[in-house]
Structure formats: C-alpha cells, structure tokens
Amino acid sequence: MEFILDPWPWYISGPLITLVMALLLYFGKTFGMSSNLKTFCAIAGAGKYSDFFRFNWKDSLWNLTVVIGAIIGGYIATQFLSNASVTDLNPVTVQELSTMGFSNSGASLVPDELFSWKTVGSAKGLILLILGGFLVGFGTRYAGGCTSGHAIAGLSSLQKPSLIAVIGFFIGGLLMANFILPLLFKS
C-alpha cells in the first residue's frame, strides 16, 4: 500500500505518460484541459454568438473523460490514497514566504492566505481571482492551448509552437514567483 500512497518516481510515472501520449497519437487525438472548456461552451450554445465555438463538439466528447478523470481521481487520491504528509519545502523558501505574510508555509498543500473563503471573499482576493482568471484564459487562447496541452502533447509530438509556449510559461512563472507575487504580498 505504501507504493500507492507515496509519490511515484519518474521511472514509473514518465513511461505511463509516454504510453498515454503514444496511444493518443496513434488514434489521432490531442490532449489538453483548455480544449474541454471550448467543448463545454459549444455544448452550451456559445456557437450562436461566436464562430470560435462553432464546431462539431461531438467529436471532442472523448476528451471530457480527462475532466471527469481529474475530478474522480483527485477525490480518490485525497480521500483514500493520501498519506497525510506535508509539503517538504526548502527552509529558504519557507523564510521568503513568511516575509510575505504566509504563516504556515508547507503545513498544507495550499496556503490559507490565498485559498481560504475569507481571502477569496475579500476585495483583494476577488480582484486577484478575476484578474488571474482573465489572464489565464487570455493566455491559453493566445498560446493556442494550456500548459498540459503544450508541455505534454505538443512537446511529445515535436511541435515548435509548443516549445515556444512552454518557454513562455516558464518565464512567466519565474517572473510571477520572483517579482509579482512578492509585490502583491509585502508585509
């Protein structure tokens, strides 16, 4: 049981991801979470208002299993396969986060200072949530896909636009973590 509860090493999870990608390529399918949002919008009738959503969404129904699998898998993992270990953060990272006002860094999977209902309900939390959602949506549309689609599916099929997008994701993440986040959460 420990094998299932502990994080899997790269030499097990990597080949499993490779197997899934090989099967998707074999069947002529692509992978990505953001394409599911497009499918949901098309199902809801957004094609009446925008040509972007005017496509045969029934051909994309298979990809909704990714969303269903993520929800069910996440539930099973947190409820039944969790070993209750805390996130092992570098002490320097814990110190940097505490100077920004994060009180229990590494004690839980996500910090309460960002993800509690009290924070989300505050003016600052709502602004960050709406602005962040807009930027993620805009970036996903502008890049032609999300991080999982480009980094897993795009790179495995050797697509140059995916390489450029992944480099952009990393640069954006570094800028956010090292410059923008410290400005937003100064003590």
Side-chain angles (χ1 to χ4, degrees), residues 93-105 111-114 119 124 181-187:
T93 302
V94 172
Q95 177 59 37
E96 288 176 1
L97 290 171
S98 68
T99 60
M100 284 189 258
F102 293 93
S103 61
N104 62 349
S105 301
D112 287 339
E113 292 85 358
L114 285 175
T119 303
K124 182 179 179 180
L181 190 67
L183 288 175
L184 294 174
F185 288 95
K186 277 187 177 178
S187 294

Side-chain angles (χ1 to χ4, degrees), residues 8 16 43 52 58 63 80 83 101 108 110 133 138 140 158 161 169 174:
W8 288 7
L16 287 174
I43 291 170
F52 178 72
K58 292 178 182 175
N63 203 18
F80 306 110
N83 63 4
S108 63
V110 292
F138 175 79
T140 300
L158 304 175
F169 297 151
L174 289 170

Side-chain angles (χ1 to χ4, degrees), residues 73-82:
Y75 178 79
I76 290 171
T78 58
Q79 298 300 314
F80 306 110
L81 301 176
S82 178

